[in-house]
Amino acid sequence: SQELEQSPQSLIVQEGKNLTINCTSSKTLYGLYWYKQKYGEGLIFLMMLQKGGEEKSHEKITAKLDEKKQQSSLHITASQPSHAGIYLCGGGGSEKLVFGKGTKLTVNP
Amino acid sequence: SAVISQKPSRDICQRGTSLTIQCQVDSQVTMMFWYRQQPGQSLTLIATANQGSEATYESGFVIDKFPISRPNLTFSTLTVSNMSPEDSSIYLCSVFREYNEQFFGPGTRLTVL
C-alpha cells in the first residue's frame, strides 16, 4: 500500500525565517495535496499538484512536485506566527488519499 | 472551494453509547468521504458514502460499528456505535470539487470516557 513520509516531524523557527517541509511517497502519486491543520480542528486546503515538475504559490507558500511525482516540498518564505500549525500532505490515486503524519510548525515571534 | 459543516463540533460520550455526526455540503456531490484522525496520528479513510447505495468501507472498518447514511447529494451521517475510549478521535467528512481539489469539514472532536 502507498505510504507518505513527512519530514521533519516538527519544526521551530523564528519569525521571518524561511522553512521547507518535505513529503515523500513510496509510489508515484496521481495527485499531491497540502493542508494546514490547527490543533484539534479541520483541514484547510492549501494546494494540489498533479503534474511532474509542477510548482504553485499562494502568498508566501510555494509547493513543488518532482518530475517523478514521488516527492513534494512545501516552502514558506518569511514565516509569521499565523503560519503555525500542522502541515499534512496527502496523495494517492483515484479519490482515495493517503496522508502523512504531519509536520508541526511553531513560529516564535 | 466547498463549504462543509459538521455537527456536533465536539462531544464527550460515555462508553457503550452511540453518536451520530452530521455533514452538510453547500452543493451536490456524488461522493462524500469520512475520515478518522486519532490523537497524534494522520488521517485514515473510514468509508465512502454514495447517494442511493451502500457505503464502501475501508479495511478495518465495518458497517455495524460505523453505519453511514446518505439520504441526498448534500448530506451524510456517520454513526460511531458502541463507543469505547479507542474511538476518541477527530472525525472529518470530505468532498472532491472540480479540478480534483479535496476539501474537508471542520471536524467533530469525540472523546469517549
Side-chain angles (χ1 to χ4, degrees), chain A residues 36-74:
Chain A
K36 178 184 173 185
Q37 183 179 31
K38 294 222 167 176
Y39 178 72
E41 298 180 5
L43 276 66
I44 300 168
F45 175 83
L46 296 176
M47 274 172 271
M48 184 195 75
L49 305 166
Q50 280 191 298
K51 300 177 184 176
E54 187 174 8
E55 178 176 322
K56 287 186 178 178
S57 293
H58 178 65
E59 297 181 343
K60 295 185 178 180
I61 300 177
T62 300
K64 301 178 185 180
L65 182 62
D66 75 337
E67 290 289 344
K68 293 184 179 180
K69 296 173 64 175
Q70 286 188 273
Q71 191 158 5
S72 179
S73 61
L74 186 81

PDB file of all heavy atoms in Angstrom, chain A residues 36-74:
ATOM      1  N   LYS A  36      -3.279  22.517   5.868  1.00  0.00           N
ATOM      2  CA  LYS A  36      -2.848  23.043   7.163  1.00  0.00           C
ATOM      3  C   LYS A  36      -3.950  22.750   8.178  1.00  0.00           C
ATOM      4  O   LYS A  36      -5.136  22.926   7.875  1.00  0.00           O
ATOM      5  CB  LYS A  36      -2.599  24.550   7.077  1.00  0.00           C
ATOM      6  CG  LYS A  36      -2.183  25.180   8.402  1.00  0.00           C
ATOM      7  CD  LYS A  36      -2.051  26.676   8.264  1.00  0.00           C
ATOM      8  CE  LYS A  36      -1.815  27.320   9.614  1.00  0.00           C
ATOM      9  NZ  LYS A  36      -1.789  28.805   9.516  1.00  0.00           N
ATOM     10  N   GLN A  37      -3.534  22.309   9.358  1.00  0.00           N
ATOM     11  CA  GLN A  37      -4.499  21.986  10.399  1.00  0.00           C
ATOM     12  C   GLN A  37      -4.081  22.671  11.686  1.00  0.00           C
ATOM     13  O   GLN A  37      -2.935  22.552  12.121  1.00  0.00           O
ATOM     14  CB  GLN A  37      -4.567  20.472  10.616  1.00  0.00           C
ATOM     15  CG  GLN A  37      -5.604  20.041  11.624  1.00  0.00           C
ATOM     16  CD  GLN A  37      -5.661  18.533  11.789  1.00  0.00           C
ATOM     17  OE1 GLN A  37      -4.656  17.852  11.645  1.00  0.00           O
ATOM     18  NE2 GLN A  37      -6.837  18.007  12.094  1.00  0.00           N
ATOM     19  N   LYS A  38      -5.011  23.376  12.275  1.00  0.00           N
ATOM     20  CA  LYS A  38      -4.755  23.926  13.604  1.00  0.00           C
ATOM     21  C   LYS A  38      -5.176  22.850  14.594  1.00  0.00           C
ATOM     22  O   LYS A  38      -6.049  22.038  14.328  1.00  0.00           O
ATOM     23  CB  LYS A  38      -5.540  25.214  13.821  1.00  0.00           C
ATOM     24  CG  LYS A  38      -5.079  26.324  12.902  1.00  0.00           C
ATOM     25  CD  LYS A  38      -5.000  27.641  13.629  1.00  0.00           C
ATOM     26  CE  LYS A  38      -4.244  28.648  12.793  1.00  0.00           C
ATOM     27  NZ  LYS A  38      -4.228  29.966  13.434  1.00  0.00           N
ATOM     28  N   TYR A  39      -4.551  22.851  15.751  1.00  0.00           N
ATOM     29  CA  TYR A  39      -4.715  21.769  16.707  1.00  0.00           C
ATOM     30  C   TYR A  39      -6.191  21.469  16.964  1.00  0.00           C
ATOM     31  O   TYR A  39      -6.960  22.332  17.340  1.00  0.00           O
ATOM     32  CB  TYR A  39      -4.020  22.100  18.024  1.00  0.00           C
ATOM     33  CG  TYR A  39      -4.197  21.042  19.068  1.00  0.00           C
ATOM     34  CD1 TYR A  39      -3.526  19.827  18.946  1.00  0.00           C
ATOM     35  CD2 TYR A  39      -5.060  21.234  20.138  1.00  0.00           C
ATOM     36  CE1 TYR A  39      -3.711  18.838  19.890  1.00  0.00           C
ATOM     37  CE2 TYR A  39      -5.237  20.246  21.081  1.00  0.00           C
ATOM     38  CZ  TYR A  39      -4.563  19.042  20.952  1.00  0.00           C
ATOM     39  OH  TYR A  39      -4.739  18.056  21.885  1.00  0.00           O
ATOM     40  N   GLY A  40      -6.591  20.207  16.776  1.00  0.00           N
ATOM     41  CA  GLY A  40      -7.936  19.773  17.085  1.00  0.00           C
ATOM     42  C   GLY A  40      -9.007  20.267  16.139  1.00  0.00           C
ATOM     43  O   GLY A  40     -10.197  20.138  16.444  1.00  0.00           O
ATOM     44  N   GLU A  41      -8.605  20.810  14.996  1.00  0.00           N
ATOM     45  CA  GLU A  41      -9.595  21.365  14.069  1.00  0.00           C
ATOM     46  C   GLU A  41      -9.535  20.668  12.715  1.00  0.00           C
ATOM     47  O   GLU A  41      -8.783  19.712  12.515  1.00  0.00           O
ATOM     48  CB  GLU A  41      -9.372  22.871  13.911  1.00  0.00           C
ATOM     49  CG  GLU A  41      -9.534  23.642  15.215  1.00  0.00           C
ATOM     50  CD  GLU A  41      -9.306  25.121  15.030  1.00  0.00           C
ATOM     51  OE1 GLU A  41      -9.109  25.580  13.887  1.00  0.00           O
ATOM     52  OE2 GLU A  41      -9.314  25.836  16.055  1.00  0.00           O
ATOM     53  N   GLY A  42     -10.337  21.165  11.796  1.00  0.00           N
ATOM     54  CA  GLY A  42     -10.370  20.580  10.462  1.00  0.00           C
ATOM     55  C   GLY A  42      -9.180  20.988   9.621  1.00  0.00           C
ATOM     56  O   GLY A  42      -8.287  21.700  10.075  1.00  0.00           O
ATOM     57  N   LEU A  43      -9.164  20.520   8.377  1.00  0.00           N
ATOM     58  CA  LEU A  43      -8.057  20.785   7.465  1.00  0.00           C
ATOM     59  C   LEU A  43      -8.392  21.925   6.522  1.00  0.00           C
ATOM     60  O   LEU A  43      -9.488  21.987   5.973  1.00  0.00           O
ATOM     61  CB  LEU A  43      -7.754  19.534   6.635  1.00  0.00           C
ATOM     62  CG  LEU A  43      -6.855  18.480   7.259  1.00  0.00           C
ATOM     63  CD1 LEU A  43      -7.503  17.833   8.462  1.00  0.00           C
ATOM     64  CD2 LEU A  43      -6.470  17.442   6.221  1.00  0.00           C
ATOM     65  N   ILE A  44      -7.416  22.789   6.340  1.00  0.00           N
ATOM     66  CA  ILE A  44      -7.556  23.884   5.389  1.00  0.00           C
ATOM     67  C   ILE A  44      -6.776  23.524   4.133  1.00  0.00           C
ATOM     68  O   ILE A  44      -5.573  23.270   4.194  1.00  0.00           O
ATOM     69  CB  ILE A  44      -7.023  25.199   5.985  1.00  0.00           C
ATOM     70  CG1 ILE A  44      -7.802  25.562   7.249  1.00  0.00           C
ATOM     71  CG2 ILE A  44      -7.112  26.336   4.962  1.00  0.00           C
ATOM     72  CD1 ILE A  44      -7.178  26.664   8.056  1.00  0.00           C
ATOM     73  N   PHE A  45      -7.469  23.513   3.011  1.00  0.00           N
ATOM     74  CA  PHE A  45      -6.825  23.176   1.740  1.00  0.00           C
ATOM     75  C   PHE A  45      -5.856  24.289   1.350  1.00  0.00           C
ATOM     76  O   PHE A  45      -6.208  25.461   1.342  1.00  0.00           O
ATOM     77  CB  PHE A  45      -7.903  23.003   0.669  1.00  0.00           C
ATOM     78  CG  PHE A  45      -7.379  22.781  -0.710  1.00  0.00           C
ATOM     79  CD1 PHE A  45      -6.994  21.520  -1.125  1.00  0.00           C
ATOM     80  CD2 PHE A  45      -7.262  23.835  -1.605  1.00  0.00           C
ATOM     81  CE1 PHE A  45      -6.517  21.310  -2.411  1.00  0.00           C
ATOM     82  CE2 PHE A  45      -6.792  23.640  -2.892  1.00  0.00           C
ATOM     83  CZ  PHE A  45      -6.420  22.368  -3.289  1.00  0.00           C
ATOM     84  N   LEU A  46      -4.616  23.886   1.040  1.00  0.00           N
ATOM     85  CA  LEU A  46      -3.613  24.855   0.602  1.00  0.00           C
ATOM     86  C   LEU A  46      -3.416  24.770  -0.900  1.00  0.00           C
ATOM     87  O   LEU A  46      -3.630  25.745  -1.619  1.00  0.00           O
ATOM     88  CB  LEU A  46      -2.278  24.612   1.312  1.00  0.00           C
ATOM     89  CG  LEU A  46      -2.268  24.818   2.837  1.00  0.00           C
ATOM     90  CD1 LEU A  46      -0.912  24.444   3.413  1.00  0.00           C
ATOM     91  CD2 LEU A  46      -2.623  26.251   3.189  1.00  0.00           C
ATOM     92  N   MET A  47      -2.961  23.621  -1.370  1.00  0.00           N
ATOM     93  CA  MET A  47      -2.647  23.464  -2.781  1.00  0.00           C
ATOM     94  C   MET A  47      -2.717  22.009  -3.202  1.00  0.00           C
ATOM     95  O   MET A  47      -2.568  21.113  -2.379  1.00  0.00           O
ATOM     96  CB  MET A  47      -1.231  23.981  -3.066  1.00  0.00           C
ATOM     97  CG  MET A  47      -1.167  25.472  -3.337  1.00  0.00           C
ATOM     98  SD  MET A  47       0.505  26.081  -3.452  1.00  0.00           S
ATOM     99  CE  MET A  47       0.843  26.472  -1.754  1.00  0.00           C
ATOM    100  N   MET A  48      -2.911  21.817  -4.509  1.00  0.00           N
ATOM    101  CA  MET A  48      -2.867  20.490  -5.080  1.00  0.00           C
ATOM    102  C   MET A  48      -1.958  20.517  -6.297  1.00  0.00           C
ATOM    103  O   MET A  48      -2.028  21.446  -7.102  1.00  0.00           O
ATOM    104  CB  MET A  48      -4.251  20.023  -5.507  1.00  0.00           C
ATOM    105  CG  MET A  48      -4.267  18.602  -6.035  1.00  0.00           C
ATOM    106  SD  MET A  48      -5.766  18.195  -6.914  1.00  0.00           S
ATOM    107  CE  MET A  48      -5.493  19.083  -8.438  1.00  0.00           C
ATOM    108  N   LEU A  49      -1.114  19.509  -6.400  1.00  0.00           N
ATOM    109  CA  LEU A  49      -0.195  19.394  -7.532  1.00  0.00           C
ATOM    110  C   LEU A  49      -0.458  18.075  -8.231  1.00  0.00           C
ATOM    111  O   LEU A  49      -0.645  17.050  -7.571  1.00  0.00           O
ATOM    112  CB  LEU A  49       1.261  19.435  -7.040  1.00  0.00           C
ATOM    113  CG  LEU A  49       1.638  20.646  -6.189  1.00  0.00           C
ATOM    114  CD1 LEU A  49       2.959  20.406  -5.484  1.00  0.00           C
ATOM    115  CD2 LEU A  49       1.724  21.883  -7.062  1.00  0.00           C
ATOM    116  N   GLN A  50      -0.477  18.107  -9.551  1.00  0.00           N
ATOM    117  CA  GLN A  50      -0.740  16.878 -10.288  1.00  0.00           C
ATOM    118  C   GLN A  50       0.325  16.531 -11.309  1.00  0.00           C
ATOM    119  O   GLN A  50       0.523  15.362 -11.624  1.00  0.00           O
ATOM    120  CB  GLN A  50      -2.102  16.970 -10.999  1.00  0.00           C
ATOM    121  CG  GLN A  50      -3.287  16.688 -10.093  1.00  0.00           C
ATOM    122  CD  GLN A  50      -4.578  16.533 -10.866  1.00  0.00           C
ATOM    123  OE1 GLN A  50      -5.030  17.458 -11.525  1.00  0.00           O
ATOM    124  NE2 GLN A  50      -5.178  15.368 -10.773  1.00  0.00           N
ATOM    125  N   LYS A  51       0.967  17.529 -11.849  1.00  0.00           N
ATOM    126  CA  LYS A  51       1.916  17.264 -12.930  1.00  0.00           C
ATOM    127  C   LYS A  51       3.346  17.225 -12.396  1.00  0.00           C
ATOM    128  O   LYS A  51       3.725  18.011 -11.533  1.00  0.00           O
ATOM    129  CB  LYS A  51       1.811  18.343 -13.990  1.00  0.00           C
ATOM    130  CG  LYS A  51       0.431  18.443 -14.614  1.00  0.00           C
ATOM    131  CD  LYS A  51       0.369  19.591 -15.607  1.00  0.00           C
ATOM    132  CE  LYS A  51      -1.029  19.753 -16.149  1.00  0.00           C
ATOM    133  NZ  LYS A  51      -1.143  20.928 -17.040  1.00  0.00           N
ATOM    134  N   GLY A  52       4.145  16.322 -12.957  1.00  0.00           N
ATOM    135  CA  GLY A  52       5.541  16.260 -12.588  1.00  0.00           C
ATOM    136  C   GLY A  52       6.232  17.583 -12.867  1.00  0.00           C
ATOM    137  O   GLY A  52       6.059  18.128 -13.949  1.00  0.00           O
ATOM    138  N   GLY A  53       6.970  18.081 -11.884  1.00  0.00           N
ATOM    139  CA  GLY A  53       7.656  19.352 -12.053  1.00  0.00           C
ATOM    140  C   GLY A  53       6.801  20.570 -11.757  1.00  0.00           C
ATOM    141  O   GLY A  53       7.264  21.696 -11.850  1.00  0.00           O
ATOM    142  N   GLU A  54       5.554  20.325 -11.387  1.00  0.00           N
ATOM    143  CA  GLU A  54       4.630  21.452 -11.162  1.00  0.00           C
ATOM    144  C   GLU A  54       5.015  22.222  -9.906  1.00  0.00           C
ATOM    145  O   GLU A  54       5.482  21.659  -8.918  1.00  0.00           O
ATOM    146  CB  GLU A  54       3.198  20.931 -11.038  1.00  0.00           C
ATOM    147  CG  GLU A  54       2.150  22.029 -10.965  1.00  0.00           C
ATOM    148  CD  GLU A  54       0.732  21.466 -10.989  1.00  0.00           C
ATOM    149  OE1 GLU A  54       0.561  20.232 -10.917  1.00  0.00           O
ATOM    150  OE2 GLU A  54      -0.209  22.281 -11.068  1.00  0.00           O
ATOM    151  N   GLU A  55       4.767  23.509  -9.947  1.00  0.00           N
ATOM    152  CA  GLU A  55       5.023  24.377  -8.801  1.00  0.00           C
ATOM    153  C   GLU A  55       3.881  25.377  -8.694  1.00  0.00           C
ATOM    154  O   GLU A  55       3.453  25.939  -9.698  1.00  0.00           O
ATOM    155  CB  GLU A  55       6.344  25.121  -8.985  1.00  0.00           C
ATOM    156  CG  GLU A  55       6.688  26.082  -7.862  1.00  0.00           C
ATOM    157  CD  GLU A  55       8.067  26.721  -8.039  1.00  0.00           C
ATOM    158  OE1 GLU A  55       9.001  26.028  -8.488  1.00  0.00           O
ATOM    159  OE2 GLU A  55       8.197  27.919  -7.724  1.00  0.00           O
ATOM    160  N   LYS A  56       3.380  25.539  -7.464  1.00  0.00           N
ATOM    161  CA  LYS A  56       2.309  26.510  -7.229  1.00  0.00           C
ATOM    162  C   LYS A  56       2.652  27.374  -6.025  1.00  0.00           C
ATOM    163  O   LYS A  56       3.296  26.904  -5.080  1.00  0.00           O
ATOM    164  CB  LYS A  56       0.971  25.796  -6.960  1.00  0.00           C
ATOM    165  CG  LYS A  56       0.351  25.169  -8.182  1.00  0.00           C
ATOM    166  CD  LYS A  56      -1.030  24.626  -7.853  1.00  0.00           C
ATOM    167  CE  LYS A  56      -1.679  24.033  -9.079  1.00  0.00           C
ATOM    168  NZ  LYS A  56      -3.017  23.448  -8.770  1.00  0.00           N
ATOM    169  N   SER A  57       2.201  28.599  -6.076  1.00  0.00           N
ATOM    170  CA  SER A  57       2.447  29.517  -4.960  1.00  0.00           C
ATOM    171  C   SER A  57       1.162  30.210  -4.560  1.00  0.00           C
ATOM    172  O   SER A  57       0.301  30.496  -5.409  1.00  0.00           O
ATOM    173  CB  SER A  57       3.488  30.567  -5.358  1.00  0.00           C
ATOM    174  OG  SER A  57       4.747  29.985  -5.556  1.00  0.00           O
ATOM    175  N   HIS A  58       1.047  30.454  -3.275  1.00  0.00           N
ATOM    176  CA  HIS A  58      -0.073  31.246  -2.768  1.00  0.00           C
ATOM    177  C   HIS A  58       0.458  32.051  -1.601  1.00  0.00           C
ATOM    178  O   HIS A  58       0.905  31.491  -0.601  1.00  0.00           O
ATOM    179  CB  HIS A  58      -1.227  30.364  -2.311  1.00  0.00           C
ATOM    180  CG  HIS A  58      -2.358  31.139  -1.737  1.00  0.00           C
ATOM    181  ND1 HIS A  58      -3.110  32.011  -2.484  1.00  0.00           N
ATOM    182  CD2 HIS A  58      -2.846  31.205  -0.478  1.00  0.00           C
ATOM    183  CE1 HIS A  58      -4.024  32.570  -1.708  1.00  0.00           C
ATOM    184  NE2 HIS A  58      -3.884  32.093  -0.489  1.00  0.00           N
ATOM    185  N   GLU A  59       0.435  33.345  -1.773  1.00  0.00           N
ATOM    186  CA  GLU A  59       1.000  34.262  -0.778  1.00  0.00           C
ATOM    187  C   GLU A  59       2.446  33.846  -0.523  1.00  0.00           C
ATOM    188  O   GLU A  59       3.254  33.850  -1.434  1.00  0.00           O
ATOM    189  CB  GLU A  59       0.133  34.281   0.465  1.00  0.00           C
ATOM    190  CG  GLU A  59      -1.273  34.816   0.146  1.00  0.00           C
ATOM    191  CD  GLU A  59      -2.188  34.878   1.332  1.00  0.00           C
ATOM    192  OE1 GLU A  59      -1.918  34.243   2.352  1.00  0.00           O
ATOM    193  OE2 GLU A  59      -3.204  35.586   1.212  1.00  0.00           O
ATOM    194  N   LYS A  60       2.804  33.464   0.670  1.00  0.00           N
ATOM    195  CA  LYS A  60       4.213  33.160   0.948  1.00  0.00           C
ATOM    196  C   LYS A  60       4.513  31.659   0.961  1.00  0.00           C
ATOM    197  O   LYS A  60       5.575  31.239   1.425  1.00  0.00           O
ATOM    198  CB  LYS A  60       4.604  33.778   2.296  1.00  0.00           C
ATOM    199  CG  LYS A  60       4.564  35.293   2.279  1.00  0.00           C
ATOM    200  CD  LYS A  60       5.066  35.873   3.560  1.00  0.00           C
ATOM    201  CE  LYS A  60       5.066  37.394   3.491  1.00  0.00           C
ATOM    202  NZ  LYS A  60       5.565  38.000   4.742  1.00  0.00           N
ATOM    203  N   ILE A  61       3.584  30.867   0.450  1.00  0.00           N
ATOM    204  CA  ILE A  61       3.757  29.422   0.470  1.00  0.00           C
ATOM    205  C   ILE A  61       3.896  28.910  -0.958  1.00  0.00           C
ATOM    206  O   ILE A  61       3.071  29.228  -1.819  1.00  0.00           O
ATOM    207  CB  ILE A  61       2.567  28.734   1.166  1.00  0.00           C
ATOM    208  CG1 ILE A  61       2.454  29.234   2.598  1.00  0.00           C
ATOM    209  CG2 ILE A  61       2.728  27.233   1.121  1.00  0.00           C
ATOM    210  CD1 ILE A  61       1.260  28.677   3.356  1.00  0.00           C
ATOM    211  N   THR A  62       4.941  28.109  -1.188  1.00  0.00           N
ATOM    212  CA  THR A  62       5.195  27.520  -2.503  1.00  0.00           C
ATOM    213  C   THR A  62       5.304  26.013  -2.348  1.00  0.00           C
ATOM    214  O   THR A  62       6.003  25.522  -1.459  1.00  0.00           O
ATOM    215  CB  THR A  62       6.501  28.056  -3.102  1.00  0.00           C
ATOM    216  OG1 THR A  62       6.402  29.473  -3.252  1.00  0.00           O
ATOM    217  CG2 THR A  62       6.771  27.424  -4.466  1.00  0.00           C
ATOM    218  N   ALA A  63       4.624  25.287  -3.205  1.00  0.00           N
ATOM    219  CA  ALA A  63       4.702  23.838  -3.191  1.00  0.00           C
ATOM    220  C   ALA A  63       5.208  23.348  -4.544  1.00  0.00           C
ATOM    221  O   ALA A  63       4.858  23.908  -5.588  1.00  0.00           O
ATOM    222  CB  ALA A  63       3.338  23.222  -2.891  1.00  0.00           C
ATOM    223  N   LYS A  64       6.038  22.305  -4.495  1.00  0.00           N
ATOM    224  CA  LYS A  64       6.601  21.740  -5.716  1.00  0.00           C
ATOM    225  C   LYS A  64       6.414  20.231  -5.712  1.00  0.00           C
ATOM    226  O   LYS A  64       6.430  19.585  -4.664  1.00  0.00           O
ATOM    227  CB  LYS A  64       8.094  22.043  -5.813  1.00  0.00           C
ATOM    228  CG  LYS A  64       8.452  23.511  -5.814  1.00  0.00           C
ATOM    229  CD  LYS A  64       9.965  23.703  -5.861  1.00  0.00           C
ATOM    230  CE  LYS A  64      10.359  25.166  -5.745  1.00  0.00           C
ATOM    231  NZ  LYS A  64      11.829  25.354  -5.783  1.00  0.00           N
ATOM    232  N   LEU A  65       6.255  19.677  -6.902  1.00  0.00           N
ATOM    233  CA  LEU A  65       6.178  18.230  -7.072  1.00  0.00           C
ATOM    234  C   LEU A  65       7.286  17.836  -8.031  1.00  0.00           C
ATOM    235  O   LEU A  65       7.407  18.436  -9.107  1.00  0.00           O
ATOM    236  CB  LEU A  65       4.810  17.830  -7.620  1.00  0.00           C
ATOM    237  CG  LEU A  65       4.537  16.342  -7.808  1.00  0.00           C
ATOM    238  CD1 LEU A  65       4.592  15.604  -6.472  1.00  0.00           C
ATOM    239  CD2 LEU A  65       3.176  16.135  -8.477  1.00  0.00           C
ATOM    240  N   ASP A  66       8.060  16.820  -7.669  1.00  0.00           N
ATOM    241  CA  ASP A  66       9.193  16.474  -8.523  1.00  0.00           C
ATOM    242  C   ASP A  66       8.725  15.788  -9.806  1.00  0.00           C
ATOM    243  O   ASP A  66       7.566  15.403  -9.949  1.00  0.00           O
ATOM    244  CB  ASP A  66      10.201  15.611  -7.759  1.00  0.00           C
ATOM    245  CG  ASP A  66       9.724  14.174  -7.573  1.00  0.00           C
ATOM    246  OD1 ASP A  66       8.494  13.941  -7.622  1.00  0.00           O
ATOM    247  OD2 ASP A  66      10.568  13.291  -7.372  1.00  0.00           O
ATOM    248  N   GLU A  67       9.672  15.631 -10.745  1.00  0.00           N
ATOM    249  CA  GLU A  67       9.318  15.085 -12.054  1.00  0.00           C
ATOM    250  C   GLU A  67       8.770  13.667 -11.968  1.00  0.00           C
ATOM    251  O   GLU A  67       7.892  13.278 -12.739  1.00  0.00           O
ATOM    252  CB  GLU A  67      10.553  15.109 -12.966  1.00  0.00           C
ATOM    253  CG  GLU A  67      10.993  16.501 -13.394  1.00  0.00           C
ATOM    254  CD  GLU A  67      10.050  17.139 -14.387  1.00  0.00           C
ATOM    255  OE1 GLU A  67       9.226  16.415 -14.988  1.00  0.00           O
ATOM    256  OE2 GLU A  67      10.121  18.373 -14.569  1.00  0.00           O
ATOM    257  N   LYS A  68       9.280  12.901 -11.018  1.00  0.00           N
ATOM    258  CA  LYS A  68       8.827  11.515 -10.884  1.00  0.00           C
ATOM    259  C   LYS A  68       7.518  11.410 -10.113  1.00  0.00           C
ATOM    260  O   LYS A  68       6.969  10.321  -9.963  1.00  0.00           O
ATOM    261  CB  LYS A  68       9.901  10.687 -10.173  1.00  0.00           C
ATOM    262  CG  LYS A  68      11.185  10.509 -10.978  1.00  0.00           C
ATOM    263  CD  LYS A  68      12.152   9.602 -10.233  1.00  0.00           C
ATOM    264  CE  LYS A  68      13.431   9.394 -11.053  1.00  0.00           C
ATOM    265  NZ  LYS A  68      14.402   8.516 -10.342  1.00  0.00           N
ATOM    266  N   LYS A  69       7.053  12.527  -9.584  1.00  0.00           N
ATOM    267  CA  LYS A  69       5.790  12.587  -8.832  1.00  0.00           C
ATOM    268  C   LYS A  69       5.814  11.670  -7.608  1.00  0.00           C
ATOM    269  O   LYS A  69       4.840  10.977  -7.303  1.00  0.00           O
ATOM    270  CB  LYS A  69       4.611  12.239  -9.741  1.00  0.00           C
ATOM    271  CG  LYS A  69       4.433  13.252 -10.864  1.00  0.00           C
ATOM    272  CD  LYS A  69       3.373  12.842 -11.862  1.00  0.00           C
ATOM    273  CE  LYS A  69       2.013  12.761 -11.294  1.00  0.00           C
ATOM    274  NZ  LYS A  69       0.982  12.470 -12.299  1.00  0.00           N
ATOM    275  N   GLN A  70       6.959  11.654  -6.924  1.00  0.00           N
ATOM    276  CA  GLN A  70       7.065  10.882  -5.689  1.00  0.00           C
ATOM    277  C   GLN A  70       7.523  11.732  -4.512  1.00  0.00           C
ATOM    278  O   GLN A  70       7.539  11.249  -3.386  1.00  0.00           O
ATOM    279  CB  GLN A  70       8.030   9.702  -5.867  1.00  0.00           C
ATOM    280  CG  GLN A  70       7.450   8.559  -6.690  1.00  0.00           C
ATOM    281  CD  GLN A  70       8.326   7.336  -6.682  1.00  0.00           C
ATOM    282  OE1 GLN A  70       9.223   7.207  -7.497  1.00  0.00           O
ATOM    283  NE2 GLN A  70       8.072   6.446  -5.747  1.00  0.00           N
ATOM    284  N   GLN A  71       7.878  12.965  -4.778  1.00  0.00           N
ATOM    285  CA  GLN A  71       8.356  13.814  -3.709  1.00  0.00           C
ATOM    286  C   GLN A  71       7.841  15.237  -3.903  1.00  0.00           C
ATOM    287  O   GLN A  71       7.833  15.767  -5.020  1.00  0.00           O
ATOM    288  CB  GLN A  71       9.881  13.826  -3.687  1.00  0.00           C
ATOM    289  CG  GLN A  71      10.459  14.471  -2.453  1.00  0.00           C
ATOM    290  CD  GLN A  71      11.884  14.013  -2.174  1.00  0.00           C
ATOM    291  OE1 GLN A  71      12.470  13.283  -2.960  1.00  0.00           O
ATOM    292  NE2 GLN A  71      12.425  14.463  -1.065  1.00  0.00           N
ATOM    293  N   SER A  72       7.418  15.821  -2.787  1.00  0.00           N
ATOM    294  CA  SER A  72       6.932  17.199  -2.826  1.00  0.00           C
ATOM    295  C   SER A  72       7.533  17.977  -1.671  1.00  0.00           C
ATOM    296  O   SER A  72       7.870  17.418  -0.622  1.00  0.00           O
ATOM    297  CB  SER A  72       5.413  17.239  -2.730  1.00  0.00           C
ATOM    298  OG  SER A  72       4.939  18.567  -2.736  1.00  0.00           O
ATOM    299  N   SER A  73       7.671  19.266  -1.888  1.00  0.00           N
ATOM    300  CA  SER A  73       8.153  20.136  -0.819  1.00  0.00           C
ATOM    301  C   SER A  73       7.215  21.323  -0.682  1.00  0.00           C
ATOM    302  O   SER A  73       6.602  21.770  -1.662  1.00  0.00           O
ATOM    303  CB  SER A  73       9.572  20.625  -1.107  1.00  0.00           C
ATOM    304  OG  SER A  73       9.601  21.371  -2.311  1.00  0.00           O
ATOM    305  N   LEU A  74       7.109  21.803   0.534  1.00  0.00           N
ATOM    306  CA  LEU A  74       6.316  22.998   0.846  1.00  0.00           C
ATOM    307  C   LEU A  74       7.267  24.000   1.470  1.00  0.00           C
ATOM    308  O   LEU A  74       7.902  23.711   2.481  1.00  0.00           O
ATOM    309  CB  LEU A  74       5.189  22.658   1.821  1.00  0.00           C
ATOM    310  CG  LEU A  74       4.211  23.788   2.102  1.00  0.00           C
ATOM    311  CD1 LEU A  74       3.187  23.879   0.980  1.00  0.00           C
ATOM    312  CD2 LEU A  74       3.509  23.578   3.437  1.00  0.00           C
TER     313      LEU A  74
END
